[in-house]
Structures are given as C-alpha cells and as structure tokens.
Amino acid sequence: MTETASAAASGASATERFRTDKAVTAASPKERVDLLAREVIDALHATVRKHKVTYDEYNALKAWLINVGDDGEWPLFLDVWVEHVIEEVATEHRQGSKGTIEGPYYVPGAPDQGATGTVPMRDEEAGTPLTWTGRVTSTDGSALAGAKVEVWHADSDGFYSRFAPGLPEWNLRATFTTDDSGAFEIHTIKPAPYQIPTDGACGKLIAAAGWHAWRPAHIHVKVSAPGHELLTAQLYFPGDEHNDDDIASAVKPELMLNPTPSGDGETVEYGFVLDPVRD
Ligand code: MBD
Ligand code: FE
C-alpha cells in the first residue's frame, strides 16, 4: 500500500456512502420532531445543571462537534454510540434470527458468487481460511430459495475495502444466493479484532475519556428474501477478548460463530431465520 489509511479518508467515504444510499425521503410529522428534539435538548440541559458544565467544557464540546463533521465521522460516531439502541427498538417484535447494527461500512452490490463460493480476496490475503455453511428459512421453517446473503468484513489489518485506500474494490465483500433448499456455502478468512479509526474526532473522544477503540473480530451480514424483513447482523467468535466490551455495544450471545478446526482452516454451520413482513 502506498497511500496510508486515515480516519479522514475513511470518514469522508462513509459520509459520502450514507448520502448516496440512505437519503431521507419522508418528512417526519411536526409533532414527532418537536417531541424528540425537545427531549434530547432537555436531557442536555439536565446534564449541564447536574454536573455544572463550564464554559471551557462547552467550548471543547463545540470544537469537537465541528471536528466530527470535518473528519466525516458522523456515521462512525452515530453507529458506534447510538445505533445499537435503534436496532434494538426496530427489531424487538421479531421471532426469527437476532440481528445487530449495520455500522458505517456496508456497500450494496457486492459480486454474486451463487450459492457456493469464495469471497473476493487477494492471493496473499492473511488469515485462517473459514468455511461457513448454513440455510435461510422463514419463521414457519420453510426454505427460502434465492435469498441473498451479503457479507463484508475487514482484512487482518482491520481495513475495509472501499473505505481504506489501496485495496481491491470488492476485497472481502460478496453476495451469495441460496439454492433450492435455502442453503449457502461461504469461503472466506477469519477477520481479526478491529480498532475503529483513532486519528479523527472519535479517537480524540476515546483518548480523552480513557476508553478503548476495540471491537471484537466480526463478519457483517445482510440476509434478504422477498416478503421478509431484511436481517442485518454481525457474527463473532467465542474467546475474543473484546466480546464483553465492544466499543459499539453490538455483541449478542446469539451471534456467535463456533468454528472447529478442519484441514488447513476452520469450518462452521450458522443459518438465518427471517420474519415475514407484517401486514
Ligand atoms: C466497524 O467495522 C463497525 O462494524 C462499526 C459498528 C463501527 C465502526 C467500524
Ligand atoms: Fe465492522
């Protein structure tokens, strides 16, 4: 790699990606905006009064908020510290598989590998080979043929293609399409534990507060089928030292992959149950 990855570069890409893919189309009712904005602002006032926040602290906050925007880190900040509660509320009615947050680095349209295939990677890609088989079913147990299983994850240095420079366009990103029995077979590598970018505004907050920037190793996934709710999840590995203190609070016990040694790598079975769309 000639260019080095930086928070500003990853952040600008994540901000641009959000603008492209998640543009808000519907306006919220005035009553709803009034209620939510007022409660959030009231909560801020309560914190100021409770802890007697000073002008120096107020100006530090202002400077930091400006930096979050300059570094393009609003997607990172919100996905790390807010999205997990949004996801919890959005999916509390579900009977099928547990999901978790999407995070800032999803890109739609990764190359389709059919039902069985290998995630695009470099010849020298570092990491333990992982074979992952599973099925996609509906909550009534019926197979979902032609379901899409989109996966994306970081390389062993913690970089995501499309957000860090110097990686092949779709490195470690792929789409799989389930066969007639709803089955898929994915060949990839086990990702490594991951540190969110520390050279931007989010890193400054983490350092100033004495927190850490780690997320456990994870594979992101989106599973979709006609007539069913989109499932967004991440899968983790038992024994990772950050499973219990993920900076993004996105680990759940149901999301553990439990691979066992096999040949020169590891193998695991993990499937998904999708909820039909509610009327
Ligand atoms: C990630 O890879 C991620 O998954 C989240 C949630 C936040 C930052 C980087
Ligand atoms: Fe991630």
PDB file of all heavy atoms in Angstrom, residues 193-212:
ATOM      1  N   PRO A 193      -9.536  -9.016  15.385  1.00  0.00           N
ATOM      2  CA  PRO A 193     -10.128  -7.927  16.180  1.00  0.00           C
ATOM      3  C   PRO A 193      -9.852  -6.594  15.499  1.00  0.00           C
ATOM      4  O   PRO A 193      -8.883  -6.459  14.757  1.00  0.00           O
ATOM      5  CB  PRO A 193      -9.404  -8.012  17.524  1.00  0.00           C
ATOM      6  CG  PRO A 193      -8.975  -9.432  17.623  1.00  0.00           C
ATOM      7  CD  PRO A 193      -8.661  -9.865  16.215  1.00  0.00           C
ATOM      8  N   TYR A 194     -10.714  -5.632  15.755  1.00  0.00           N
ATOM      9  CA  TYR A 194     -10.763  -4.436  14.934  1.00  0.00           C
ATOM     10  C   TYR A 194     -10.790  -3.198  15.818  1.00  0.00           C
ATOM     11  O   TYR A 194     -11.543  -3.129  16.781  1.00  0.00           O
ATOM     12  CB  TYR A 194     -12.032  -4.510  14.086  1.00  0.00           C
ATOM     13  CG  TYR A 194     -12.319  -3.285  13.286  1.00  0.00           C
ATOM     14  CD1 TYR A 194     -11.784  -3.132  12.022  1.00  0.00           C
ATOM     15  CD2 TYR A 194     -13.110  -2.270  13.807  1.00  0.00           C
ATOM     16  CE1 TYR A 194     -12.025  -1.981  11.294  1.00  0.00           C
ATOM     17  CE2 TYR A 194     -13.356  -1.126  13.089  1.00  0.00           C
ATOM     18  CZ  TYR A 194     -12.815  -0.993  11.832  1.00  0.00           C
ATOM     19  OH  TYR A 194     -13.043   0.143  11.121  1.00  0.00           O
ATOM     20  N   GLN A 195      -9.967  -2.222  15.470  1.00  0.00           N
ATOM     21  CA  GLN A 195      -9.980  -0.943  16.174  1.00  0.00           C
ATOM     22  C   GLN A 195     -10.637   0.096  15.289  1.00  0.00           C
ATOM     23  O   GLN A 195     -10.244   0.230  14.122  1.00  0.00           O
ATOM     24  CB  GLN A 195      -8.539  -0.514  16.436  1.00  0.00           C
ATOM     25  CG  GLN A 195      -8.306  -0.110  17.847  1.00  0.00           C
ATOM     26  CD  GLN A 195      -6.883   0.359  18.095  1.00  0.00           C
ATOM     27  OE1 GLN A 195      -5.987   0.146  17.294  1.00  0.00           O
ATOM     28  NE2 GLN A 195      -6.693   1.001  19.208  1.00  0.00           N
ATOM     29  N   ILE A 196     -11.619   0.822  15.801  1.00  0.00           N
ATOM     30  CA  ILE A 196     -12.192   1.895  14.988  1.00  0.00           C
ATOM     31  C   ILE A 196     -11.107   2.955  14.785  1.00  0.00           C
ATOM     32  O   ILE A 196     -10.174   3.050  15.575  1.00  0.00           O
ATOM     33  CB  ILE A 196     -13.486   2.494  15.605  1.00  0.00           C
ATOM     34  CG1 ILE A 196     -13.187   3.320  16.852  1.00  0.00           C
ATOM     35  CG2 ILE A 196     -14.513   1.408  15.908  1.00  0.00           C
ATOM     36  CD1 ILE A 196     -14.347   4.231  17.243  1.00  0.00           C
ATOM     37  N   PRO A 197     -11.194   3.757  13.691  1.00  0.00           N
ATOM     38  CA  PRO A 197     -10.140   4.742  13.421  1.00  0.00           C
ATOM     39  C   PRO A 197      -9.911   5.643  14.636  1.00  0.00           C
ATOM     40  O   PRO A 197     -10.863   6.148  15.227  1.00  0.00           O
ATOM     41  CB  PRO A 197     -10.695   5.548  12.246  1.00  0.00           C
ATOM     42  CG  PRO A 197     -11.674   4.641  11.582  1.00  0.00           C
ATOM     43  CD  PRO A 197     -12.252   3.785  12.676  1.00  0.00           C
ATOM     44  N   THR A 198      -8.652   5.837  15.024  1.00  0.00           N
ATOM     45  CA  THR A 198      -8.342   6.610  16.236  1.00  0.00           C
ATOM     46  C   THR A 198      -7.727   7.968  15.926  1.00  0.00           C
ATOM     47  O   THR A 198      -7.468   8.741  16.833  1.00  0.00           O
ATOM     48  CB  THR A 198      -7.357   5.835  17.136  1.00  0.00           C
ATOM     49  OG1 THR A 198      -6.236   5.444  16.336  1.00  0.00           O
ATOM     50  CG2 THR A 198      -8.023   4.624  17.739  1.00  0.00           C
ATOM     51  N   ASP A 199      -7.496   8.261  14.620  1.00  0.00           N
ATOM     52  CA  ASP A 199      -6.807   9.517  14.308  1.00  0.00           C
ATOM     53  C   ASP A 199      -7.768  10.665  14.003  1.00  0.00           C
ATOM     54  O   ASP A 199      -7.341  11.739  13.596  1.00  0.00           O
ATOM     55  CB  ASP A 199      -5.821   9.319  13.151  1.00  0.00           C
ATOM     56  CG  ASP A 199      -6.454   8.659  11.931  1.00  0.00           C
ATOM     57  OD1 ASP A 199      -7.519   8.023  12.080  1.00  0.00           O
ATOM     58  OD2 ASP A 199      -5.897   8.786  10.833  1.00  0.00           O
ATOM     59  N   GLY A 200      -9.061  10.453  14.216  1.00  0.00           N
ATOM     60  CA  GLY A 200     -10.038  11.520  13.997  1.00  0.00           C
ATOM     61  C   GLY A 200     -10.725  11.913  15.295  1.00  0.00           C
ATOM     62  O   GLY A 200     -10.261  11.589  16.399  1.00  0.00           O
ATOM     63  N   ALA A 201     -11.857  12.591  15.159  1.00  0.00           N
ATOM     64  CA  ALA A 201     -12.565  13.130  16.320  1.00  0.00           C
ATOM     65  C   ALA A 201     -13.048  12.026  17.269  1.00  0.00           C
ATOM     66  O   ALA A 201     -13.004  12.190  18.490  1.00  0.00           O
ATOM     67  CB  ALA A 201     -13.750  13.975  15.848  1.00  0.00           C
ATOM     68  N   CYS A 202     -13.518  10.909  16.733  1.00  0.00           N
ATOM     69  CA  CYS A 202     -13.975   9.816  17.609  1.00  0.00           C
ATOM     70  C   CYS A 202     -12.813   9.270  18.431  1.00  0.00           C
ATOM     71  O   CYS A 202     -12.965   8.974  19.619  1.00  0.00           O
ATOM     72  CB  CYS A 202     -14.638   8.698  16.787  1.00  0.00           C
ATOM     73  SG  CYS A 202     -16.236   9.188  16.096  1.00  0.00           S
ATOM     74  N   GLY A 203     -11.636   9.171  17.803  1.00  0.00           N
ATOM     75  CA  GLY A 203     -10.436   8.742  18.519  1.00  0.00           C
ATOM     76  C   GLY A 203     -10.061   9.719  19.622  1.00  0.00           C
ATOM     77  O   GLY A 203      -9.632   9.321  20.709  1.00  0.00           O
ATOM     78  N   LYS A 204     -10.250  11.021  19.338  1.00  0.00           N
ATOM     79  CA  LYS A 204      -9.947  12.041  20.367  1.00  0.00           C
ATOM     80  C   LYS A 204     -10.846  11.874  21.577  1.00  0.00           C
ATOM     81  O   LYS A 204     -10.409  11.990  22.724  1.00  0.00           O
ATOM     82  CB  LYS A 204     -10.128  13.446  19.787  1.00  0.00           C
ATOM     83  CG  LYS A 204      -8.982  13.902  18.907  1.00  0.00           C
ATOM     84  CD  LYS A 204      -8.807  15.423  18.989  1.00  0.00           C
ATOM     85  CE  LYS A 204      -7.720  15.902  18.028  1.00  0.00           C
ATOM     86  NZ  LYS A 204      -8.243  16.009  16.630  1.00  0.00           N
ATOM     87  N   LEU A 205     -12.138  11.608  21.325  1.00  0.00           N
ATOM     88  CA  LEU A 205     -13.068  11.383  22.436  1.00  0.00           C
ATOM     89  C   LEU A 205     -12.652  10.166  23.248  1.00  0.00           C
ATOM     90  O   LEU A 205     -12.627  10.201  24.490  1.00  0.00           O
ATOM     91  CB  LEU A 205     -14.496  11.206  21.892  1.00  0.00           C
ATOM     92  CG  LEU A 205     -15.545  10.739  22.902  1.00  0.00           C
ATOM     93  CD1 LEU A 205     -15.728  11.753  24.025  1.00  0.00           C
ATOM     94  CD2 LEU A 205     -16.887  10.462  22.214  1.00  0.00           C
ATOM     95  N   ILE A 206     -12.326   9.079  22.530  1.00  0.00           N
ATOM     96  CA  ILE A 206     -11.936   7.835  23.198  1.00  0.00           C
ATOM     97  C   ILE A 206     -10.709   8.063  24.082  1.00  0.00           C
ATOM     98  O   ILE A 206     -10.681   7.644  25.248  1.00  0.00           O
ATOM     99  CB  ILE A 206     -11.672   6.737  22.138  1.00  0.00           C
ATOM    100  CG1 ILE A 206     -13.016   6.276  21.541  1.00  0.00           C
ATOM    101  CG2 ILE A 206     -10.895   5.569  22.721  1.00  0.00           C
ATOM    102  CD1 ILE A 206     -12.884   5.419  20.298  1.00  0.00           C
ATOM    103  N   ALA A 207      -9.716   8.779  23.553  1.00  0.00           N
ATOM    104  CA  ALA A 207      -8.494   9.044  24.324  1.00  0.00           C
ATOM    105  C   ALA A 207      -8.784   9.959  25.513  1.00  0.00           C
ATOM    106  O   ALA A 207      -8.327   9.709  26.629  1.00  0.00           O
ATOM    107  CB  ALA A 207      -7.418   9.654  23.423  1.00  0.00           C
ATOM    108  N   ALA A 208      -9.587  11.014  25.255  1.00  0.00           N
ATOM    109  CA  ALA A 208      -9.860  11.985  26.320  1.00  0.00           C
ATOM    110  C   ALA A 208     -10.646  11.357  27.461  1.00  0.00           C
ATOM    111  O   ALA A 208     -10.524  11.764  28.619  1.00  0.00           O
ATOM    112  CB  ALA A 208     -10.626  13.181  25.744  1.00  0.00           C
ATOM    113  N   ALA A 209     -11.483  10.352  27.142  1.00  0.00           N
ATOM    114  CA  ALA A 209     -12.320   9.716  28.167  1.00  0.00           C
ATOM    115  C   ALA A 209     -11.646   8.490  28.787  1.00  0.00           C
ATOM    116  O   ALA A 209     -12.178   7.895  29.715  1.00  0.00           O
ATOM    117  CB  ALA A 209     -13.670   9.325  27.563  1.00  0.00           C
ATOM    118  N   GLY A 210     -10.482   8.090  28.218  1.00  0.00           N
ATOM    119  CA  GLY A 210      -9.803   6.910  28.741  1.00  0.00           C
ATOM    120  C   GLY A 210     -10.498   5.609  28.371  1.00  0.00           C
ATOM    121  O   GLY A 210     -10.398   4.617  29.084  1.00  0.00           O
ATOM    122  N   TRP A 211     -11.204   5.606  27.243  1.00  0.00           N
ATOM    123  CA  TRP A 211     -11.836   4.386  26.753  1.00  0.00           C
ATOM    124  C   TRP A 211     -10.868   3.653  25.837  1.00  0.00           C
ATOM    125  O   TRP A 211      -9.728   4.066  25.650  1.00  0.00           O
ATOM    126  CB  TRP A 211     -13.127   4.723  25.972  1.00  0.00           C
ATOM    127  CG  TRP A 211     -14.146   5.480  26.767  1.00  0.00           C
ATOM    128  CD1 TRP A 211     -14.260   5.539  28.141  1.00  0.00           C
ATOM    129  CD2 TRP A 211     -15.205   6.309  26.240  1.00  0.00           C
ATOM    130  NE1 TRP A 211     -15.317   6.338  28.490  1.00  0.00           N
ATOM    131  CE2 TRP A 211     -15.920   6.830  27.359  1.00  0.00           C
ATOM    132  CE3 TRP A 211     -15.630   6.651  24.950  1.00  0.00           C
ATOM    133  CZ2 TRP A 211     -17.027   7.670  27.214  1.00  0.00           C
ATOM    134  CZ3 TRP A 211     -16.729   7.498  24.807  1.00  0.00           C
ATOM    135  CH2 TRP A 211     -17.410   7.989  25.917  1.00  0.00           C
ATOM    136  N   HIS A 212     -11.311   2.556  25.227  1.00  0.00           N
ATOM    137  CA  HIS A 212     -10.519   1.882  24.200  1.00  0.00           C
ATOM    138  C   HIS A 212     -11.329   1.885  22.909  1.00  0.00           C
ATOM    139  O   HIS A 212     -12.531   2.148  22.936  1.00  0.00           O
ATOM    140  CB  HIS A 212     -10.155   0.457  24.614  1.00  0.00           C
ATOM    141  CG  HIS A 212     -11.341  -0.476  24.606  1.00  0.00           C
ATOM    142  ND1 HIS A 212     -11.906  -0.959  23.441  1.00  0.00           N
ATOM    143  CD2 HIS A 212     -12.077  -0.987  25.612  1.00  0.00           C
ATOM    144  CE1 HIS A 212     -12.929  -1.720  23.737  1.00  0.00           C
ATOM    145  NE2 HIS A 212     -13.064  -1.746  25.052  1.00  0.00           N
TER     146      HIS A 212
END
